[in-house]
Amino acid sequence: MAAFLPASPDQAAFRDELLAQGMLLASDVPGLYGHGAVFDDVLCAVDQWLGRVGAVEHPEQLRFPPLIPRRDLEMNGYLSSFPHLAGTVFSFEGGQAEALEQAERAGRHEDWSRCQAMTELTLTPAACYAAYPAMGARGSLPPGGATLDLGPAWVFRHEPSGDPARMQTFHMREMVRFGEPETVSAWRDRWRDRSVALLRSIGLDARADIASDPFFGRAGRMLAASQRDQELKFELLVPIAGPQPTAVASFNYHHDHFAAPYRIRTAAGAIAHTACIGFGLERITLALIQTHGPHPARWPEAVGHVLWPR
Ligand code: ZN
């Protein structure tokens, strides 16, 4: 079992409020929620707003399911960097006797994993992971590279928590840039700076900071330090429910980490570089509710104009 991260008193109080208001619907599992109508309305408005904002880049629109081939998780380094967060799909394998045993064990809520075998599927940990094999299959990039908008994608991270802002599955809205190193890193920096202003336009007290991924184990601490030194990752931080502000968006420059395994090449024939920007839609929705209250109709007019333009 993954370690349960308990909520701070502020986070627990915010979660209780959200459940009492019907914004979120609790399940038996920490970090797994249904969305109420108001919550969903705000989340969809944020998603569509980010889609309109991103349209200035004329990105190609691609959509992928919330599962990726297991082979891709094996190829992109995720299992060594984040073995603790990955989700793997298992499915029944066996005959009549195993089916009976499984049903009996499940009926008693006991462990029935011995009747299950690993499938070729894993849960998608980040929206962009599906995009690299797809782009690799196309051959070289066009001159100038490519930009993708992956829409609102379900992703999974196995980190059960009492903090309502740390869900095990949530929507990430990602854009991905493929191209020459300078083009890609400048694109990432431009969107980082622009996104601070974007989130401030909906009344959120956002600031950008250098960040690192939650790499696993002792080697992971070195990876995180190197990631910070090279300024590969920035996050936008917004206060949601204490004690620290919460990351609601990330801006990641991958060098050739994802392009190399799939041989994604620039028009000139070099291995491309990639960057992605990802907005956590549930977290932005929670930040809006925490900042402006549970009734969107009463939010500041300027915020309403941005999210629900007429
Ligand atoms: Zn990404």
Side-chain angles (χ1 to χ4, degrees):
M1 278 281 247
F4 173 73
L5 297 162
S8 72
D10 286 355
Q11 290 163 351
F14 186 42
R15 180 178 180 272
D16 290 346
E17 255 172 62
L18 291 162
L19 297 177
Q21 291 156 347
M23 291 284 180
L24 295 181
L25 312 175
S27 74
D28 284 349
V29 176
L32 185 67
Y33 299 97
H35 297 171
V38 174
F39 190 91
D40 186 60
D41 186 34
V42 175
L43 186 144
C44 289
V46 170
D47 174 53
Q48 286 164 19
W49 166 58
L50 292 170
R52 290 192 296 276
V53 167
V56 296
E57 304 260 341
H58 305 291
E60 183 181 356
Q61 301 289 329
L62 296 182
R63 301 291 182 266
F64 295 98
L67 298 170
I68 57 171
R70 168 156 65 97
R71 188 181 164 78
D72 288 319
L73 214 62
E74 292 162 356
M75 278 175 73
N76 63 25
Y78 194 83
L79 293 171
S80 45
S81 295
F82 313 105
H84 54 310
L85 300 179
T88 314
V89 178
F90 282 66
S91 193
F92 175 74
E93 208 171 84
Q96 194 57 48
E98 289 79 13
L100 206 61
E101 182 191 339
Q102 173 167 281
E104 280 174 8
R105 286 177 165 267
R108 297 190 297 266
H109 301 299
E110 287 172 5
D111 183 356
W112 39 279
S113 58
R114 58 193 257 180
C115 311
Q116 298 274 310
M118 200 176 201
T119 68
E120 63 281 13
L121 298 168
T122 56
L123 305 186
T124 302
C128 64
Y129 280 28
Y132 306 111
M135 295 301 277
R138 285 184 180 180
S140 297
L141 297 167
T147 308
L148 304 181
D149 177 344
L150 303 178
W154 280 108
V155 299
F156 173 83
R157 310 270 171 91
H158 191 219
E159 41 183 3
S161 165
D163 175 4
R166 190 172 293 280
M167 296 178 178
Q168 296 205 57
T169 183
F170 53 93
H171 290 92
M172 188 183 280
R173 182 163 192 122
E174 276 205 49
M175 291 211 307
V176 194
R177 186 80 171 92
F178 300 75
E180 309 280 351
E182 312 74 46
T183 312
V184 165
S185 67
W187 178 86
R188 191 278 307 258
D189 291 351
R190 205 162 58 241
W191 273 100
R192 174 198 61 207
D193 298 342
R194 188 166 181 218
S195 298
V196 175
L198 282 172
L199 290 185
R200 287 184 181 164
S201 78
I202 54 170
L204 301 183
D205 183 15
R207 65 180 172 85
D209 203 358
I210 294 179
S212 59
D213 285 308
F215 294 106
F216 183 74
R218 188 177 306 178
R221 282 197 286 281
M222 283 160 66
L223 285 174
S226 150
Q227 191 183 30
R228 282 174 174 273
D229 286 349
Q230 297 180 68
E231 302 192 355
L232 297 182
K233 186 181 191 76
F234 286 85
E235 288 177 338
L236 289 197
L237 302 170
V238 170
I240 298 183
Q244 305 295 336
T246 302
V248 301
S250 74
F251 304 83
N252 310 288
Y253 178 32
H254 316 124
H255 286 258
D256 64 358
H257 177 81
F258 289 114
Y262 298 104
R263 318 301 292 167
I264 304 171
R265 293 183 183 278
T266 65
I271 292 292
H273 278 206
T274 64
C276 70
I277 60 171
F279 294 88
L281 297 183
E282 278 80 355
R283 284 188 174 181
I284 295 175
T285 302
L286 290 171
L288 283 164
I289 292 165
Q290 173 75 340
T291 305
H292 302 306
H295 305 289
R298 296 184 213 156
W299 289 0
E301 213 171 314
V303 175
H305 277 312
V306 171
L307 292 178
W308 291 276
R310 293 189 184 273

